[in-house]
Amino acid sequence: MTQDNRKPFDTPEANGWHWQTNILHADTQVPAGFAAMPVPVARASTVVFPDLAAMRSLDWKNDSQWRYGLHATPTSMELMRRLASLEGGRHCLLFPSGLAAISNVYFGLIKSGDDVLVPDNAYGPNREHGDWLAESFGITVRYYDPMIGEGIGALIRPNTKLIWLEAPGSVTMEVQDVPAIARVARERGVLTAIDNTYSAGLAFRPFEHQVDISVQALTKYQSGGSDVLMGSVVTVDDDIHHRLKQARMRMGVGVSADDCSLVLRSLPSMRLRFEAHDRAATALATWLGARDEIAAVLHPAFEDCPGHRNFRRDFTGAGGLFSVVFHERYAQAQIDAFIEALRLFKIGFSWGGAHSLVVPYRVPSMRTATTWPHKGALVRFYVGLEDVRDLQSDIEASLKAHLGGA
């Protein structure tokens, strides 16, 4: 008698298929009555259509249709819906970084021969992107005084198609008069885009001030864990959204459902964290402002910060980011030693996470349209969720050791 050596999964099951086929084509069973608060993670590259008619009827402008995982899944769509609602917009697109979101605005709206205006205090990579476009793509990029206000009208040319705003500037903290610039731009038929990362969409609502496009790095407060790279572009106008969406598709840009899930998990606590960062940063900036080593504190909520009146009028909070200017009597080597001796403030870019950060900047080399008025070294602090008393002691010890502070 021949022994049957077949393994159980080699035996056809009741439906006539073998185990390997059944495991691939098993129906997803969601128990009736199951409910949970987290948003389910829908991972997908291929999206399956019920029939050919559904596939052939796809319209890329229709955000409610599922086409391919690169464009959207239920998880990313839920995040986009919440982010658009937060900023008072109607549409949202997601990108693998804040810089990718900025890039999409350029490539979706600007062509060779067009002119773009960028504030002199803009995020460094935005400036570098503009310089690259000017060098390689026949686009004119000009930098302007961020405090120009309605005077922006004198800079607008017939081929000016886009004006960038950043309020406050993420290093030097000037607060632009966004409503004035947006109003003049709209009167002249020029689109405006704001880097709204500083406010996280919580402290400033751009569409209430006639801004056309809001860009954010979700890497910051939306993530809150220093572990996600993502960006967003929020709009109100359908045509602008479609132009940006088409550019996104053509560049093959997408985000993972798992990263979307991490941001969705953090959104419910974002306002509480933002307010906690704000309180701590205000307290620390106030203390630093009384120190003899500090020549100026650049914090939008402080009266001597450029654009403070704009901040008081348009913003409802400041978060954890501010800069200080040291007295010019200190050499850069002393400032560097001070920074490297800090124990709780880690040296690193970005912000929005639980850990405090510090970065020095050489501002004069970052400017082309305006003259930086300060002589001393600028250091940017991001205040995390540590106890402020410990952060203060950390700074005080390093000041004493390297700058002779009392």
Side-chain angles (χ1 to χ4, degrees):
M1 186 167 94
T2 303
Q3 184 177 3
D4 188 348
N5 291 321
R6 289 185 303 174
K7 297 177 181 179
F9 53 75
D10 286 332
T11 304
E13 298 185 14
N15 63 3
W17 292 342
H18 292 79
W19 180 88
Q20 181 65 28
T21 301
N22 277 316
I23 204 68
L24 284 169
H25 290 269
D27 292 331
T28 301
Q29 299 294 325
V30 179
F34 175 80
M37 288 175 283
V39 177
V41 181
R43 302 182 186 90
S45 52
T46 296
V47 172
V48 177
F49 305 102
D51 50 48
L52 289 173
M55 185 189 74
R56 290 167 176 158
S57 66
L58 286 176
D59 177 6
W60 67 268
K61 293 183 179 180
N62 187 344
D63 290 333
S64 67
Q65 291 180 323
W66 306 114
R67 302 174 64 247
Y68 193 62
L70 182 69
H71 308 308
T73 71
T75 308
S76 62
M77 282 299 297
E78 179 60 21
L79 178 56
M80 287 188 278
R81 184 188 68 80
R82 295 188 187 189
L83 293 173
S85 175
L86 173 65
E87 293 197 85
R90 296 184 60 238
H91 307 288
C92 178
L93 297 169
L94 296 176
F95 300 86
S97 69
L99 181 57
I102 290 172
S103 178
N104 183 256
V105 172
Y106 278 117
F107 283 108
L109 303 177
I110 303 301
K111 64 182 185 302
S112 178
D114 288 345
D115 177 63
V116 180
L117 291 169
V118 179
D120 215 22
N121 65 349
Y123 171 58
N126 189 349
R127 291 184 64 106
E128 292 168 2
H129 201 299
D131 293 342
W132 174 52
L133 292 175
E135 179 182 348
S136 302
F137 294 88
I139 294 166
T140 303
V141 178
R142 293 178 292 138
Y143 298 97
Y144 68 90
D145 181 350
M147 305 311 298
I148 198 171
E150 62 184 13
I152 196 75
L155 300 181
I156 295 176
R157 297 171 176 173
N159 64 330
T160 302
K161 301 300 181 183
L162 176 67
I163 299 174
W164 276 101
L165 305 107
E166 184 171 324
S170 62
V171 174
T172 49
M173 303 295 156
E174 302 98 332
V175 185
Q176 295 189 263
D177 189 343
V178 175
I181 295 174
R183 181 178 63 253
V184 172
R186 185 159 292 195
E187 291 171 354
R188 302 284 291 274
V190 179
L191 295 176
T192 53
I194 187 169
D195 185 336
N196 200 28
T197 302
Y198 180 96
S199 85
L202 294 170
F204 181 79
R205 294 174 65 82
F207 304 110
E208 295 178 2
H209 301 289
Q210 301 189 60
V211 176
D212 296 301
I213 302 155
S214 179
V215 174
Q216 287 201 57
L218 309 180
T219 307
K220 309 298 195 288
Y221 296 109
Q222 289 85 349
S223 162
S226 303
D227 56 359
V228 174
L229 287 165
M230 195 179 295
S232 65
V233 174
V234 174
T235 52
V236 174
D237 182 83
D238 291 346
D239 179 66
I240 296 173
H241 169 64
H242 291 150
R243 291 167 67 185
L244 295 173
K245 184 178 181 181
Q246 189 174 57
R248 181 182 184 272
M249 291 191 304
R250 287 173 173 169
M251 290 192 290
V253 175
V255 297
S256 79
D258 294 282
D259 283 349
C260 290
S261 177
L262 289 174
V263 177
L264 283 164
R265 184 177 65 178
S266 297
L267 281 184
S269 66
M270 181 171 67
R271 177 173 290 279
L272 297 176
R273 290 183 284 107
F274 186 86
E275 292 173 350
H277 293 298
D278 192 345
R279 290 190 298 270
T282 299
L284 195 64
T286 300
W287 174 77
L288 278 167
R291 300 282 308 190
D292 178 66
E293 303 89 348
I294 305 301
V297 174
L298 304 176
H299 188 302
F302 289 19
E303 290 186 1
D304 53 354
C305 185
H308 168 71
R309 290 185 179 180
N310 299 329
F311 180 84
R312 295 283 293 178
R313 182 192 64 201
D314 301 331
F315 285 72
T316 60
L321 201 68
F322 69 92
S323 297
V324 300
V325 178
F326 283 83
H327 276 290
E328 59 182 298
R329 64 177 177 265
Y330 299 114
Q332 187 64 52
Q334 290 177 282
I335 302 300
D336 291 351
F338 157 75
I339 290 172
E340 292 183 341
L342 292 169
R343 298 174 60 196
L344 296 178
F345 287 87
K346 306 303 181 183
I347 302 171
F349 297 109
S350 197
W351 68 86
H355 298 81
S356 293
L357 300 170
V358 61
V359 181
Y361 286 91
R362 300 181 186 272
V363 178
S365 66
M366 300 162 58
R367 299 265 169 153
T368 55
T370 56
T371 300
W372 180 239
H374 300 284
K375 302 298 183 182
L378 181 143
V379 174
R380 189 182 74 181
F381 289 97
Y382 166 68
V383 181
L385 297 177
E386 299 91 347
D387 191 299
V388 177
R389 292 169 294 186
D390 295 326
L391 296 175
Q392 181 176 316
S393 296
D394 187 27
I395 293 175
E396 191 168 29
S398 189
L399 288 174
K400 182 177 181 180
H402 297 284
L403 301 185

